[in-house]
Amino acid sequence: MLTQPQFYATPGAFTFLYPPGHRIPFIAADDIGAIAAAVFAAPDTFAGQTLELGGDVLTGEEVAAALGRATGRPLAYATVPAEALRQNRLIERVVEVAIKLRVDVDIPSLRAIHPGLKTLAAWLDAGGAGRIPVTSR
């Protein structure tokens, strides 16, 4: 999701859905695949479990700072304006629910399943930074 240009439409900013200070989990797509493969390989071990996924749990400000460091272009954090959310009731409702929902990601347990689980910084260092379409004009 972090590679989508609409999150960088405002020059010098990373714009995301959640208010400042709200912590949300982030996970690399290949980590999702690796964890899914491990679960499918050992169905008896994971039967009946729910795994909350994340390689990092960060605020929007922390994400903007990490993206700025990785790309060499300082980025401020901005939230999608409320009026823009109101134009898409589904997205507005998803944000409302997500703000109330607290996801408890057990990163050490996930890392036991998939030792290569990446933090946002590790994903950026492994080539993710090159996929970030930031502008600093």
Side-chain angles (χ1 to χ4, degrees):
M1 181 183 327
L2 293 178
T3 61
Q4 300 304 306
Q6 64 266 28
F7 296 116
Y8 307 93
T10 301
F14 165 64
T15 304
F16 206 54
L17 301 168
Y18 302 103
H22 184 78
R23 299 184 70 73
I24 54 175
F26 288 88
I27 188 166
D30 58 331
D31 286 337
I32 294 170
I35 292 168
V39 169
F40 284 123
D44 293 338
T45 301
F46 297 100
Q49 291 187 37
T50 299
L51 297 176
E52 302 289 350
L53 300 181
D56 238 339
V57 179
L58 304 167
T59 65
E61 298 90 340
E62 291 168 329
V63 172
L67 295 171
R69 281 190 301 276
T71 61
R73 296 181 179 114
L75 292 173
Y77 179 67
T79 56
V80 173
E83 52 277 4
L85 288 176
R86 281 192 292 275
Q87 292 176 10
N88 186 323
R89 182 64 185 134
L90 175 61
I91 297 296
E92 181 183 39
R93 185 69 181 128
V94 166
V95 171
E96 288 171 3
V97 170
I99 289 171
K100 293 175 187 171
L101 179 68
R102 294 291 181 217
V103 176
D104 292 320
V105 177
D106 184 352
I107 293 174
S109 292
L110 292 173
R111 196 157 275 121
I113 296 167
H114 172 48
L117 183 66
K118 291 180 271 325
T119 62
L120 175 60
W123 178 79
L124 290 165
D125 290 345
R131 299 175 55 202
I132 304 298
V134 298
T135 60
S136 56
R137 292 183 246 87

